[in-house]
């Protein structure tokens, strides 16, 4: 018998099943947003640059190490949050 996946289970519940598709999306979004954040001004500030690089590289290292998806999601959310905060700062305040 084949097991049917319900649509109500969500992405996180089926993350291990959809691993390769999610990895490509996370890689694209985290990598591009980190590059945009650095390009818009984080390169001038050592602390901001360190925050972007560390969070992005942790996410990419977890992807490369084939870590459990819950760790990858956590690292990606932290990286995207840091990027979004710094991006908003450099776009609207400076």
């Amino acid at each position: 018998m084949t097991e049917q996946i319900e649509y109500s289970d969500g992405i996180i519940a089926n993350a291990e099943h959809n691993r390769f598709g999610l990895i490509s999306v996370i890689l694209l979004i985290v990598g591009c947003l980190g590059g945009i954040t650095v390009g818009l001004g984080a390169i001038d500030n050592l602390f901001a640059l360190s925050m972007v690089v560390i969070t992005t590289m942790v996410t990419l290292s977890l992807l490369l190490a084939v870590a459990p998806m819950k760790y990858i999601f956590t690292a990606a959310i932290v990286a995207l949050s840091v990027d979004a905060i710094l991006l908003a700062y450099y776009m609207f305040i400076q």
Side-chain angles (χ1 to χ4, degrees):
M1 290 251 168
T2 60
E3 200 175 297
Q4 261 190 325
I5 299 172
E6 296 291 327
Y7 289 110
S8 62
D9 287 343
I11 293 174
I12 295 175
N14 297 321
E16 290 296 335
H17 179 70
N18 299 322
R19 181 182 228 7
F20 297 112
L22 291 172
I23 283 175
S24 63
V25 170
I26 291 170
L27 180 67
L28 180 71
I29 293 173
V30 169
C32 289
L33 193 60
I36 291 170
T37 305
V38 169
L40 284 178
I43 199 153
D44 295 332
N45 186 351
L46 182 63
F47 179 72
L49 182 64
S50 299
M51 291 302 295
V52 172
V53 168
I54 289 170
T55 56
T56 301
M57 287 301 120
V58 165
T59 304
L60 297 180
S61 297
L62 288 172
L63 288 172
L64 187 62
V66 192
M69 288 303 289
K70 63 181 179 178
Y71 298 142
I72 294 173
F73 276 134
T74 304
I77 289 170
V78 170
L80 292 176
S81 299
V82 167
D83 290 343
I85 291 168
L86 289 174
L87 192 62
Y89 174 74
Y90 285 116
M91 285 182 67
F92 298 118
I93 295 177
Q94 255 190 355

